[in-house]
Amino acid sequence: MNLQLILIALLLLSAGVFLVQCITQAGMNIDAAYVIGFCTYFDMFGFFYKKMLPGNALFLLIAVPLIPALLAWFGKSRAPRALLRDPGIGLWGAVFLLSTVSLTWAPPDSGGLTKIAVLFIHAAIPGIYAYILYRKYAKFSWTIFALFGLAFAAAHLAFGEYSPEYPGRLSLPGSNPIFNARMSLITITVCLWAPGIPRIIRLAGIAAAAASALATESRGPVAAFAIANALILAMVLYRKWRRGEFRHLARYAAIVPVLLIGTGLAAANYSAELEEWAHGSRLSIFMNLGELVGDANFLGRMELQRQALEQWTEQPFIGGGVGSLSPPAVRDHPHNVVLEIAGEQGVAGLLVWSFAFLYALWMARRHSVLLVLLLQTLGTAMMSGDFGFNFEYVMFAFLALALAPAGRSVPVSDSGLGRVKETGTWAYSSEVAAARASEPVPDVLDPPQPVSFRAEYEASPFIPESRRCSRKMRKMMFLLTGLNYAGAETQVVQLCRGFRERGCQIEVVSMLEPAAYLEELRVMGIPVHSLGMKKGVPDPRAIFRLRRLVAKLRPDIVHSHLVHANLLARVTRLFVRMPRLICTAHNRNEGGRLRELLYRLTDPLCDLTTNVSRDAVDRYIERCVVPARKIRYVPNGIDTAQFRRRTERQRAELRSRLARELGVSEEAFLWLAAGRLAPEKDYRTMLNAFALAIAAPSATAANATAGGASAGDVTVGGATADDVTAGGAIAGGATAAEANAGGAIAVDATAAEATAGDANAGGAIAAEAPAADAAQCAPASPALLIAGIGPERAELEELCRSLGIERQVHFLGMRRDIPELMAAADGYVMSSLWEGMPIVLLEAAASALPIVATDVGGNREVVRDGESGWLAAPDDPRQLCERMLALTALTPLARREMGERGRRYVEEHFELEVVLDQWADIYEQRGRGHGRGRLESPPAAAAEEA
């Protein structure tokens, strides 16, 4: 079968599918790149059309993109109003209006009307189509445009011919080599500069388009391409140098000499072939400008440009009218669009045209690819083009107007945290934000920009100017292993909320499919992306998925959390630029020596490693996981306002409601534990300790009432205190001195027998209450509430039944009312084997709950032993039992004072705003002159608290 017929059939099939989608799915998000690509490379479609049907294919240029444009125009869009309101559109309208009016004084036989028609059909109409589509659907993919360019280059190389009119120059039948060169060089520029194009398409596009452009031997377009790219490259490099962004390229410095030497050797080896090709090509002029002296084409153009200058001097203000320099029977024109406009439209036309183009250039100032395209296509029009047939710069000017930020703060969704200026309202509480999220989003004047061009988010007016996001941290990406209801994920969501309120643009990326906090992030207007990984299944594709995301979103800061995300971010940095990469570990134990080795090997790829506890930082330094100069302690933070103090009446109501729900006594001592039911939380130790604690108070109370029982009469879990005193048991009636011998806690010793000072001197804790008070305070039937889900639930329930405490232990499952549970509880207990800095412990302290926790990780940084709670050794149920009994023996007033001390300490050191300030300092620090690995991070040992 004929190859041409196959290509034509594929082309028609794809066009038909696209049109059917447009007609049948009016609600689809149509990408404006389809219109721009179709109209830019229309010569390819015209060539295939003429293969099948005779006649002019120009009507397709208007008809094919018209359907999606009409759907966007009438699809409840404000695009008509935005189109008429845009000053750039108005300036180009003035250009076309003045050009049309100038026909009235142009010669009757001028070709001006043809020029205006071609420019309007090839540039203005596609530009308006793209403007309407983008303002409706907010989608433009440079990858789609690059695919159009790749297809054009392939068609040019496959079906091009060497016509007698252009000897030695390849062109599509019915076209000319200069136009073909312009299109292929546009493809190269897009593949070089545009973000988000897959590498295979980028490389294939550059290779095919370069071969296509060189085959045309067109000198003007090549020169314009080289000059425009060099100018913008110099500007970009200067900006990066000013911002100190070259430091991350230091690791590639050794590659540059190798590339230069290799290029030199290749050029020397093939010098004869290169010289032969150059001398046989029209492009040899770039190696010897003296060839222009006798070049008839060049001399003819110089003469035409001299005539244009003469006409301008004769009619300087309004010119001779469009087409006066190029009658329709003659194809000669000045080959310089600026001189042509000056000669045909005078100073008036030149000024209006200049303002329109410069305004479009200003709108494209933040997008390097558009800047290069505008300068390149204008340069081509000034070297080998005219006012009508060199239309590309006008079309890209309309595209720059469409993609320019709208100049107002429009969030991705009405989050309640940012301002939509049309409504002029603000919301900060979660209740109001949720209520607003359920309301229909108002039809704003301009749609949200796509991620690469999104408008900046406006900060809350209640955030001081000094705390608002600077330009160095305007765009932030948080990368996590997964998105679940766990401590690290909760902290990331808190950071997202805090920095969103400060005016930052936030993106969240989860390696696994997200399973939590989606609604909260949606209400805040924060997009969530998934890399589509499966738990326990390594997937190298995640590296390239993350690379594409980073290249598309271009964040100023990438902040990864947890070991898998940290390692993925570091490896991905080899393939994409990340201005700043911060890696945060949330535990002292991240999974063994192998992961520690991987941390050590990939450490040069990140700017700073942080951990949430001083204990973990010290361990990382001690085990040489991270150099001391590149690790920093940054604690978790919470919004303590969410755990506000409750009045006694509110607390009584909460306890009463909870007691009815669970079927427990309102007078029972309520212990609360919250967290994932997993081995590292060691709920087995907690349940064993609770079983011991249930038995101990009854014996202690009986001893206190009888007043004569000895320590040996008290049984704890089937063993007398005498049997286990050496291990730290509770001496129910022993003096502090006797108890201290074994490190025990005298829970009912009188003040005369053991003062607090005596007890503390011996390492024990004396509950400062007489025996009668202790007996009065100790509840008869304590209850343990465990909130959370996890793989160990069935085993733990079975353990409760074997210990006979299934009626006192209540598994609550997943709960969203943790603040209310903490307000109703009497004490909080944690039995983890290891921790970083548990968020739930901070929340318990902020709720003014006295705490009993194991002495692991960052727990000792939250719980001040003997002041806001007590610490116990991990995996020791008897010692945990002692601490629990010591807390239950306190009077309500003493427990309340202990909880208040804990709350004050958390407010001072772990308030979310304080932690956000620490992160802001870290994010901005590298911008103050610190290169890779030079972020200031004092060792944990030197950063002791006052």
Side-chain angles (χ1 to χ4, degrees), residues 605-623:
L605 297 174
C606 80
D607 296 305
L608 183 70
T609 299
T610 71
N611 209 308
V612 296
S613 75
R614 297 188 190 280
D615 174 73
V617 170
D618 291 338
R619 173 186 168 86
Y620 274 43
I621 295 173
E622 178 185 350
R623 298 176 71 92

Side-chain angles (χ1 to χ4, degrees), residues 589-885:
N589 180 8
E590 286 273 288
R593 296 296 294 175
L594 177 60
R595 291 180 180 177
E596 291 179 355
L597 177 62
L598 293 175
Y599 264 150
R600 191 180 311 160
L601 294 175
T602 59
D603 178 72
L605 297 174
C606 80
D607 296 305
L608 183 70
T609 299
T610 71
N611 209 308
V612 296
S613 75
R614 297 188 190 280
D615 174 73
V617 170
D618 291 338
R619 173 186 168 86
Y620 274 43
I621 295 173
E622 178 185 350
R623 298 176 71 92
C624 300
V625 178
V626 182
R629 63 183 176 83
K630 287 190 63 178
I631 191 167
R632 182 168 174 174
Y633 161 68
V634 182
N636 286 331
I638 62 168
D639 182 6
T640 57
Q642 296 181 3
F643 302 89
R644 63 186 185 277
R645 298 179 181 87
R646 311 280 179 146
T647 65
E648 287 301 320
R649 180 177 178 180
Q650 291 173 329
R651 188 170 179 275
E653 292 176 356
L654 289 172
R655 285 180 67 88
S656 176
R657 190 190 318 152
L658 188 63
R660 289 194 303 271
E661 176 187 343
L662 302 177
V664 299
S665 170
E666 294 185 27
E667 287 73 30
F669 190 101
L670 296 183
W671 286 101
L672 176 65
R676 191 165 177 266
L677 306 182
E680 63 270 17
K681 302 302 180 183
D682 195 17
Y683 283 101
R684 293 177 176 274
T685 293
M686 181 188 298
L687 294 175
N688 280 290
F690 184 66
L692 295 176
I694 288 177
S698 59
T700 303
N703 175 32
T705 304
S710 65
D713 294 330
V714 181
T715 60
V716 182
T720 65
D722 288 342
D723 295 333
V724 295
T725 298
I730 302 169
T735 65
E738 293 169 334
N740 287 343
I745 303 173
V747 297
D748 62 347
T750 64
E753 293 172 306
T755 64
D758 295 335
N760 290 335
I765 301 170
E768 300 175 10
D773 290 343
Q776 181 181 357
C777 297
S781 180
L784 173 60
L785 315 180
I786 300 178
I789 57 176
E792 287 199 327
R793 175 161 181 169
E795 298 176 16
L796 296 175
E797 289 177 336
E798 179 60 31
L799 178 61
C800 289
R801 285 190 287 271
S802 66
L803 292 173
I805 57 173
E806 67 274 12
R807 294 190 176 183
Q808 288 86 7
V809 179
H810 302 268
F811 290 91
L812 307 182
M814 178 60 65
R815 297 291 291 238
R816 303 301 300 274
D817 58 346
I818 296 299
E820 288 73 21
L821 291 176
M822 289 182 172
D826 296 295
Y828 189 87
V829 60
M830 173 178 282
S831 55
S832 300
L833 293 173
W834 62 81
E835 284 286 354
M837 177 170 287
I839 294 288
V840 69
L841 216 57
L842 294 172
E843 295 174 346
S847 302
L849 267 181
I851 299 170
V852 173
T854 47
D855 189 9
V856 295
N859 289 4
R860 69 175 65 94
E861 298 163 31
V862 180
V863 181
R864 314 300 286 180
D865 197 20
E867 296 180 14
S868 60
W870 283 299
L871 297 172
D875 195 22
D876 189 341
R878 295 194 179 279
Q879 193 176 70
L880 187 64
C881 170
E882 295 171 15
R883 303 317 193 239
M884 294 173 71
L885 284 173

Side-chain angles (χ1 to χ4, degrees), residues 8 79 118 187 322 332 401 406 425 450 472 495 501 544 597 600 616 662 719 763 788 791 817 821 841:
I8 292 171
V118 169
T187 303
V322 175
D332 291 334
L401 298 176
T425 57
K472 298 172 186 174
L495 295 179
E501 290 181 354
F544 302 100
L597 177 62
R600 191 180 311 160
L662 302 177
D817 58 346
L821 291 176
L841 216 57

